Amino acid sequence: MKKKRGLKIAGGVLLLVVLLAVYLLLKNHNAQAEQEAGSTEEEEGVEIAAVAADDISRLTFEISGEDVSWVHGDDGWSLETDSSFPVDQDQMTNLTNQLESITASRTLENVENLDEYGLSVPSNVIQVEETDGSSLKITIGDQNSSTGDCYIYLNDDTQTVYTVASALQTVFSGSLYNFASGEDYPEITSSTITQVSVEKEENSYTLNTDDSSSTGWEVTDQNGDGKEADETEAGTLQSTIAGLSFDNYYEYNCQDLSQYGLDQPQAVITVDYTEQQEVEEEESSDSSSDEAETTDENESEDSSADSEETETVAVDVQMKLLVGNLADDGNYYVMLDGSTEVHGISQDSLDSLLQGSAFDYWKMSVSNMSISDLDSLEVTYNGETHVLKRVVTEEPVEEEETESEDTSSEDSSEDSSEEQETETVTTYYVDDQEVESQDFTSFYSAANSMTYQERLEENDADGEEEFVLTYYDTAGNEIRVAYIPRDENFYIAADDDGNYGLVNKMTVSDLEDQFAELLESAQAEE
């Protein structure tokens, strides 16, 4: 019996030892896991290094796989290998701000394998030299996939690894020209653009504002042939120009333009626009000599001094942009005329300009004569020509009778001396027969809203003119538009200025029906 009890005790002790061993094993495993994950809650947010910006004399870090050094002097930061390099002082301030306080969220101690943290082949090494001779080296490895923090170690202590905010890694990355100060793409507002010219080997074109155009715009091809431009397309072009920006910076003092294709650019984009500028006006205060004699010395100086006033005026400005080859990063190399700086603009931003032609900007509206400018409209339909007229007259306003007819003779004389009040009256006619304004304007609006479904460079219709509208404005200008059957689906709309385009057959049929209704309305009024 005692033997069995002893066996049970021994078995219990053995089980306890096993459980204890398992516990210790799990504890050590968890501790190791916490260490590998960089978990030391007591040290979370602990400052591990700090260097005041004013104490830094030299800063070195890797750019494109090479060590690049920057030195700080009385005039700010400069590139050690090129003192004329246009250093962006604000960007250097961003770097030094990151060094003023480096805090670690976790600390990994007794690290044996730097490969686990990307530190055996670091992504960057930052070396800081201070004015008192002390130094700091920060070796940066990978980012933690869970937290986004990056692994670093300080100086030569490879056994202690920290995780710090990724901003330290981010601000010290990029190309050399991420730390250069350069010119910006001009600030151009779309509404201020008056002309855009795209000069290239083929299909050059110029789009410019034109008060005589019904759309307000004219487009001219490389042969000098001009046509009215589509207002919507012109607006899109304005927005494209205003929306451009430099996406990269390649060289600040380019002496060999050929390496970028800028010695013989594939396109030159010239933009004329206006910008608001402040100008000073000088105004001299006129004071007579007699008045000057009666004032004291200070007042005399004040009266003779010129006063300066500032006003804002619109000034004509021109920008010329040279477009070179396409870079590997998807940008076109570009340069502002007269500059030595080479920048990049994205391919997507420029392709619509480079691949366009004058034809792409031809107006899509068949006619654009406002009814307020209309004098008459001749419509040829079913072999007969009808004349639609808009007549504007000034008619006297009928006075309302008042209840009291007793007025003084003085009032009567005053009233008679006053001019008769008039009002503007617009009357519409079809073949000299007055018609309802709504019937007239409804047809006119439909005719004036006709648009090309597709522009054509030539009239390839074989049929005869079926429906012809000839507009005459109050200034004597004429617009003639003929609709010619082309096939079972389309008509060709053609005007005397050589504009051609396809119009859906059903749309023309609807317009003819509206005109037939207008004729019936006129005949019913007879």
Side-chain angles (χ1 to χ4, degrees):
M1 191 73 176
K2 291 182 179 180
K3 184 176 181 180
K4 290 183 179 180
R5 182 180 295 177
L7 289 173
K8 288 182 178 179
I9 294 173
V13 172
L14 179 61
L15 179 61
L16 182 62
V17 171
V18 171
L19 290 174
L20 181 61
V22 171
Y23 169 74
L24 293 174
L25 180 64
L26 289 174
K27 183 178 180 181
N28 290 335
H29 176 76
N30 290 337
Q32 184 178 1
E34 286 184 358
Q35 184 182 36
E36 290 178 355
S39 176
T40 304
E41 294 183 2
E42 294 82 357
E43 295 183 343
E44 186 170 337
V46 174
E47 185 176 78
I48 57 174
V51 183
D54 292 339
D55 293 338
I56 302 175
S57 60
R58 190 168 184 265
L59 191 58
T60 303
F61 55 95
E62 293 183 7
I63 295 179
S64 301
E66 296 182 1
D67 286 342
V68 177
S69 296
W70 314 80
V71 292
H72 189 254
D74 294 337
D75 296 328
W77 288 94
S78 62
L79 182 63
E80 188 174 57
T81 57
D82 183 0
S83 60
S84 62
F85 185 84
V87 178
D88 187 338
Q89 301 298 322
D90 291 337
Q91 183 64 14
M92 297 304 295
T93 298
N94 291 337
L95 301 183
T96 57
N97 285 344
Q98 289 295 321
L99 300 174
E100 287 189 341
S101 179
I102 303 174
T103 59
S105 57
R106 289 177 173 82
T107 301
L108 310 177
E109 297 178 341
N110 301 318
V111 173
E112 297 180 356
N113 187 3
L114 293 177
D115 284 338
E116 295 181 10
Y117 311 103
L119 288 164
S120 58
V121 183
S123 62
N124 207 340
V125 177
I126 304 169
Q127 301 177 67
V128 185
E129 297 180 20
E130 300 182 56
T131 53
D132 63 0
S134 58
S135 63
L136 172 67
K137 184 171 73 171
I138 306 168
T139 303
I140 302 177
D142 293 338
Q143 282 188 321
N144 183 289
S145 59
S146 299
T147 65
D149 292 345
C150 59
Y151 296 105
I152 69 168
Y153 69 80
L154 301 178
N155 299 317
D156 296 323
D157 183 5
T158 58
Q159 290 188 320
T160 305
V161 174
Y162 306 95
T163 61
V164 300
S166 60
L168 181 67
Q169 185 180 43
T170 302
V171 297
F172 283 90
S173 63
S175 69
L176 179 65
Y177 278 87
N178 285 113
F179 305 94
S181 174
E183 60 199 1
D184 296 320
Y185 180 82
E187 293 185 6
I188 302 176
T189 305
S190 59
S191 61
T192 64
I193 298 174
T194 57
Q195 179 170 296
V196 176
S197 175
V198 180
E199 182 182 352
K200 47 187 179 173
E201 187 174 354
E202 295 182 354
N203 294 321
S204 298
Y205 60 93
T206 299
L207 198 76
N208 62 276
T209 55
D210 184 359
D211 293 337
S212 64
S213 168
S214 62
T215 65
W217 289 89
E218 180 188 46
V219 61
T220 307
D221 63 19
Q222 60 187 9
N223 298 320
D225 296 327
K227 291 184 182 295
E228 289 187 332
D230 186 76
E231 187 175 6
T232 300
E233 293 298 329
T236 300
L237 180 67
Q238 287 177 297
S239 299
T240 299
I241 294 294
L244 295 177
S245 62
F246 292 146
D247 287 348
N248 212 336
Y249 190 5
Y250 301 103
E251 190 170 350
Y252 79 94
N253 186 25
C254 180
Q255 301 300 315
D256 181 13
L257 298 180
S258 63
Q259 61 181 314
Y260 303 107
L262 290 166
D263 56 331
Q264 296 180 335
Q266 62 171 299
V268 177
I269 301 172
T270 304
V271 181
D272 293 313
Y273 62 102
T274 60
E275 68 177 15
Q276 298 295 319
Q277 294 182 3
E278 289 187 351
V279 296
E280 291 184 350
E281 287 188 347
E282 292 187 358
E283 295 183 0
S284 299
S285 58
D286 296 330
S287 56
S288 64
S289 58
D290 293 337
E291 292 177 344
E293 292 176 359
T294 61
T295 59
D296 59 29
E297 184 178 352
N298 291 334
E299 292 175 338
S300 177
E301 290 178 358
D302 291 340
S303 64
S304 62
D306 291 339
S307 61
E308 294 184 353
E309 292 186 358
T310 301
E311 67 172 340
T312 302
V313 297
V315 178
D316 292 332
V317 182
Q318 185 178 84
M319 178 204 74
K320 185 174 290 187
L321 185 72
L322 283 61
V323 182
N325 297 334
L326 190 63
D328 293 336
D329 60 6
N331 292 329
Y332 282 106
Y333 294 117
V334 298
M335 173 184 284
L336 292 173
D337 186 42
S339 173
T340 60
E341 296 183 9
V342 179
H343 295 268
I345 293 181
S346 70
Q347 180 180 4
D348 291 341
S349 299
L350 286 179
D351 270 352
S352 61
L353 298 172
L354 302 183
Q355 296 174 7
S357 65
F359 175 75
D360 297 322
Y361 294 94
W362 287 1
K363 70 172 185 176
M364 296 298 288
S365 56
V366 177
S367 64
N368 290 95
M369 185 178 291
S370 170
I371 195 169
S372 61
D373 296 327
L374 179 70
D375 177 68
S376 64
L377 170 62
E378 292 182 356
V379 180
T380 301
Y381 173 63
N382 287 340
E384 296 183 359
T385 299
H386 303 271
V387 180
L388 284 61
K389 286 191 66 67
R390 173 179 175 271
V391 179
V392 180
T393 56
E394 293 293 327
E395 301 291 341
V397 177
E398 294 184 4
E399 296 182 1
E400 295 183 0
E401 293 185 0
T402 61
E403 294 182 358
S404 174
E405 295 292 336
D406 296 330
T407 57
S408 66
S409 58
E410 182 178 351
D411 291 339
S412 300
S413 62
E414 288 179 358
D415 291 341
S416 61
S417 63
E418 293 178 357
E419 293 184 2
Q420 176 69 52
E421 185 178 354
T422 62
E423 62 179 350
T424 302
V425 177
T426 304
T427 311
Y428 299 95
Y429 298 90
V430 175
D431 294 333
D432 296 327
Q433 178 62 51
E434 184 176 347
V435 295
E436 294 290 336
S437 63
Q438 183 175 353
D439 296 337
F440 187 102
T441 57
S442 178
F443 165 73
Y444 191 86
S445 176
N448 216 34
S449 62
M450 298 285 281
T451 58
Y452 302 113
Q453 187 167 322
E454 180 183 334
R455 290 302 308 260
L456 300 175
E457 295 194 56
E458 60 181 17
N459 182 1
D460 58 359
D462 295 329
E464 295 182 355
E465 298 175 350
E466 181 178 291
F467 194 57
V468 181
L469 305 176
T470 306
Y471 300 79
Y472 299 91
D473 67 14
T474 54
N477 298 311
E478 175 184 341
I479 299 175
R480 184 180 186 275
V481 179
Y483 292 90
I484 309 164
R486 185 195 192 217
D487 52 40
E488 60 181 5
N489 296 315
F490 294 102
Y491 278 73
I492 285 183
D495 65 24
D496 290 344
D497 291 331
N499 295 303
Y500 312 108
L502 297 181
V503 180
N504 188 280
K505 189 172 185 178
M506 293 301 297
T507 306
V508 178
S509 179
D510 290 343
L511 184 62
E512 291 176 334
D513 289 344
Q514 280 192 267
F515 181 68
E517 292 176 5
L518 180 61
L519 284 181
E520 290 179 5
S521 175
Q523 292 167 1
E525 295 290 337
E526 293 180 357

